[in-house]
Amino acid sequence: MTTALRITLNGDPHDLAEPLTIAKLLATLDIDPRGVAVEHNLIIVKRGGFDSTLVQSGDQVEIVNFVGGG
């Protein structure tokens, strides 16, 4: 039996089945990584770090979508 890992995602509790990289987290949320900025535990993660930054229980993740306008 596995227990879900709880993170804080955009200020709300969110459960994961296992630790995931930011890239995999975005994929499970159906979010295009090209259009977002991600903060992991108060540190902005560059897009090149999405595949290597691991999200684990207790972590805080903020995902911000870029919005165009004029």
Side-chain angles (χ1 to χ4, degrees):
M1 181 194 313
T2 60
T3 43
L5 305 175
R6 178 148 298 178
I7 65 168
T8 302
L9 179 62
N10 291 347
D12 295 319
H14 184 83
D15 291 330
L16 302 174
E18 60 186 355
L20 299 173
T21 63
I22 289 175
K24 287 185 181 183
L25 175 63
L26 293 173
T28 63
L29 297 171
D30 199 28
I31 295 174
D32 185 346
R34 297 172 297 177
V36 297
V38 178
E39 180 183 273
H40 176 248
N41 295 330
L42 304 176
I43 298 171
I44 301 295
V45 180
K46 293 183 180 184
R47 194 169 297 127
F50 286 4
D51 286 325
S52 60
T53 303
L54 193 62
V55 178
Q56 302 181 68
S57 187
D59 286 357
Q60 295 180 2
V61 179
E62 296 288 327
I63 302 171
V64 180
N65 290 306
F66 298 128
V67 178

